[in-house]
Amino acid sequence: MLKIKKKKIKIFHPNNLIKLERLYSIKNCSPNYVRWLSDKKINQYLEVRFVKINKKDIIKNIKKTFNSNTNLLMGIYLRSKSKQKFYDHVGNLKADINDKHLNAEISIIIGESKFHNQGISSKSIYLFSNYLFKKLKIQKLYATVYEKNIYSVKAFQSAGYKITNILKKHRIYKNKRCDEIILSKMKKK
């Protein structure tokens, strides 16, 4: 049984430009968090696009995941250019952990569009994956991605994930059926 419930976690990239920190309060979130999840361009590949999100929903979700032994919701923070010891919340990573089979599904959002296509996703995925493998002893990680979300596919591939399956016509995107790509990564022995 994993013991991550109510555990504060911080993971730093070697150059300290990226910090992953477990979300435990709305206070350590960007004031733009609700906007991210409501923005049609940002959420176009997320299931949250089907529901209206407000601040209360986010607070409830943060509390629920912080009190869970099988879910990790991590904020992605970039070191501020103006304040060296301050980090800006730009996105999130989540792991839904199956502690019986020692695997986890990973998902990511970079909510601040000015930080898209800068390698932040792949570096964050790599950092988080290593934490899950080493500290939590997870043996397999996987992600499911809409086929149209090529930037997400590339980010996971850059972090060492391989395409392991394609579920044909599995999702609906812009009122049309599309494939879902499954990428996975095994812990190195």
Side-chain angles (χ1 to χ4, degrees), residues 8 21-30 33 58-59 62-63 66 73 77 89:
K8 291 187 181 180
E21 183 174 0
R22 189 169 190 189
L23 295 180
Y24 56 88
S25 166
I26 194 74
K27 292 175 185 166
N28 64 336
C29 295
S30 167
Y33 197 176
I58 289 173
I59 292 168
I62 290 170
K63 192 174 191 176
F66 190 64
L73 180 61
Y77 300 85
H89 182 211

Side-chain angles (χ1 to χ4, degrees), residues 102-117:
L102 299 176
N103 66 36
E105 182 176 7
I106 306 296
S107 56
I108 187 167
I109 178 175
I110 301 295
E112 295 296 339
S113 57
K114 66 183 177 185
F115 295 112
H116 288 182
N117 305 318

Side-chain angles (χ1 to χ4, degrees), residues 9-52:
I9 300 166
K10 290 183 185 179
I11 309 164
F12 290 89
H13 189 271
N15 65 11
N16 284 333
L17 293 180
I18 298 173
K19 172 180 77 167
L20 305 180
E21 183 174 0
R22 189 169 190 189
L23 295 180
Y24 56 88
S25 166
I26 194 74
K27 292 175 185 166
N28 64 336
C29 295
S30 167
N32 299 324
Y33 197 176
V34 174
R35 181 184 50 79
W36 299 348
L37 296 179
S38 303
D39 184 306
K40 291 187 186 317
K41 188 165 179 162
I42 300 294
N43 77 15
Q44 66 182 316
Y45 302 112
L46 304 175
E47 299 309 297
V48 74
R49 75 183 185 271
F50 298 117
V51 295
K52 188 160 174 59

